[in-house]
Amino acid sequence: MRPPGKTNGRDLTTGSIGRTLIVFALPTLGANVLQSLNGSINTIWVGRFLGEGALAATSNANIIMFLMFGLVFGFGIAATILVGQAIGRHDLDAARRAFGSAVALVVGGSVVIGALGWLFAPEILRLLATPGDAMPLALAYLRVIFLGLPASMLLILMMAVLRGAGDAVTPLWFMGLAVLIDGGLNPLLIDGIGPFPKMGIAGSATATLIANHVAVIALALFVYARDMPLRLRGAEWRYLLPDGQLVRTIVGKGVPIGAQMLVMSTSGLTMMGLVNRLGVETTAAYGVSQQLWTYLQMPALAIGAGVSAMAAQNIGAGRWDRVNRITGSGIAINVAVTGTVVALILLFDRPVMTLFLAGTSPAIGIARHIQLLSSWNFILFGMAMVFFSTVRANGAVLAPLAILVIAMYPVRIGFALAMRPVIGADALWWSFPLGSTASCAMAWAYYRYGGWRSLTMAGVRQGHQARGHLAAGEEPAGMDHAIS
């Protein structure tokens, strides 16, 4: 695979908003598709070679890894927003300072978390009520994944920051490289094909570890070979020793952002615990459903990333009129794209599910029922993501956190627990659209009426234009699209 010509990002503060958002989101969507396709292919190998018990084990382990990512991922998102705003102001040195600080914080944090996760993996799996027959498999898989956490997080950080600088194409190429290596090595290491050792489920995790290390090293070499804007040279290497203001900004904004992921992760862990109590077949069905849900949420995540990058650059440039229109375009595009994907998944769910499970498995019927009740919630999820992406681009991180806490716990988990004695397992599946409805409604209310426009990421007010617009009582131009 050969990367395209020299890419130095793009200015997201000019041109057609809808076209720019689509063009920017498409490579991000492609990278997300590749990443999720890689996970699905790996799940197919695990399910086919090792059976339903191994499939249940990877479902439990993957939710835990999402929890671990959340502990350090917020720093990367905070740095990405700082980079985007700096690029919008045409301040390349500030962008490099933010990138250097983020690298130090994310790599350092992931090393600590990876070590602690490896040590306490058995306790974590027991807290999750992992089924007994899946426990040894989940432990072997999870411990290898923890070893690869620093490389995984650095790869994600570098890709995210490149998008913040306006370059969505380079991350696509190197995600493709990681997918090729991971998908190719999985069956070889699981089953011991040729000269490779037979490692079972640990082989799947080892393939991921190798792929991420190769991809992050190759991406770093590519950044320097093409002399891309965020590379550090000479005296700029000192930016890897973050200064006090940047540390306070990245940590102060990054912790609430990371906490949002933790809220979603712990909610997922709670739900996984409830599902595990329904037996291995339902756990396997839920695992397959989660594989399909990764594709359902991909358009929302790609569009949200595009909205965040565009909003951050335009906020840095003081183009608040464009920020409002970016949000409206993001909502409209998300509804159209995610709605189409939901329809396709519902139409063709059974053929896809037989890739993961035998056609006669009773788990397929359970998984199809889950899809029917829950999958449409991702349209609302995507709308909430757009609102969150916009307000976070100006440093508003506490309100989205509070919204997610309410939507995930009193609403989603509360409904599942309260209604399970009444309607049985369906209470778990109905809780997803109910939680997304609450999240979307509250996110819209904060976007429309909250004071997020007067905030700042870096502790120095960048947007006197924002206060001017507010004083003039300007209504968000994008809201007509959002509610139509």
Side-chain angles (χ1 to χ4, degrees), residues 7 11 25 39 49 59 69 72 104 111 133 155 164 166 182 229 250 253 281 303 367 444:
T7 304
D11 184 355
F49 278 112
S59 297
F69 282 144
V72 292
V111 167
D133 53 350
L155 181 62
D182 195 0
I250 294 176
K253 300 299 184 181
E281 288 178 354
I303 294 165
W444 171 83

Side-chain angles (χ1 to χ4, degrees), residues 49-292:
F49 278 112
L50 303 173
E52 290 184 358
L55 194 61
T58 58
S59 297
N60 281 265
N62 287 336
I63 287 183
I64 294 170
M65 285 312 303
F66 186 73
L67 173 64
M68 296 299 104
F69 282 144
L71 293 175
V72 292
F73 192 58
F75 297 150
I77 296 297
T80 299
I81 296 168
L82 283 172
V83 167
Q85 290 193 7
I87 294 294
R89 298 192 308 272
H90 304 289
D91 187 349
L92 191 55
D93 187 68
R96 289 173 179 165
R97 287 177 181 271
F99 176 62
S101 297
V103 169
L105 288 171
V106 168
V107 173
S110 60
V111 167
V112 172
I113 292 168
L116 292 175
W118 194 93
L119 288 172
F120 295 104
E123 289 75 11
I124 294 171
L125 290 170
R126 280 194 286 270
L127 285 174
L128 189 57
T130 302
D133 53 350
M135 183 70 172
L137 296 171
L139 180 60
Y141 182 85
L142 186 59
R143 277 186 158 164
V144 177
I145 289 292
F146 271 124
L147 291 176
L149 185 63
S152 300
M153 288 307 306
L154 182 57
L155 181 62
I156 291 171
L157 171 67
M158 292 180 68
M159 291 180 175
V161 172
L162 285 171
R163 294 187 185 107
D167 178 8
V169 176
T170 299
L172 171 63
W173 288 100
F174 287 91
M175 178 57 68
L177 174 64
V179 168
L180 283 175
I181 296 172
D182 195 0
L185 286 178
N186 247 270
L188 303 179
L189 292 175
I190 289 174
D191 203 42
I193 298 173
F196 295 92
K198 186 172 184 178
M199 301 176 65
I201 197 170
S204 178
T206 301
T208 301
L209 181 149
I210 294 171
N212 287 337
H213 277 83
V214 172
V216 75
I217 292 171
L219 178 55
L221 293 174
F222 180 73
V223 166
Y224 278 88
R226 298 304 176 95
D227 195 29
M228 298 175 77
L230 296 179
R231 90 292 178 275
L232 303 179
R233 292 188 188 277
E236 293 170 345
W237 285 106
R238 70 181 186 276
Y239 295 163
L240 291 174
L241 300 174
D243 61 38
Q245 181 181 2
L246 280 172
V247 169
R248 287 190 296 271
T249 300
I250 294 176
V251 173
K253 300 299 184 181
V255 167
I257 294 173
Q260 292 171 36
M261 292 190 67
L262 294 181
V263 167
M264 292 187 289
S265 298
T266 54
S267 173
L269 290 172
T270 303
M271 188 64 69
M272 192 78 239
L274 295 175
V275 172
N276 282 339
R277 289 167 173 81
L278 299 176
V280 171
E281 288 178 354
T282 301
T283 300
Y286 185 62
V288 171
S289 296
Q290 287 179 309
Q291 286 294 320
L292 297 183

Side-chain angles (χ1 to χ4, degrees), residues 278-341:
L278 299 176
V280 171
E281 288 178 354
T282 301
T283 300
Y286 185 62
V288 171
S289 296
Q290 287 179 309
Q291 286 294 320
L292 297 183
W293 288 349
T294 60
Y295 294 95
L296 287 177
Q297 69 184 355
M298 281 190 301
L301 295 175
I303 294 165
V307 167
S308 181
M310 291 183 68
Q313 285 199 22
N314 281 273
I315 288 170
R319 296 296 308 275
W320 282 87
D321 58 317
R322 287 175 58 85
V323 172
N324 294 324
R325 287 186 284 133
I326 287 165
T327 304
S329 295
I331 291 292
I333 294 169
N334 169 76
V335 170
V337 175
T338 304
T340 300
V341 176

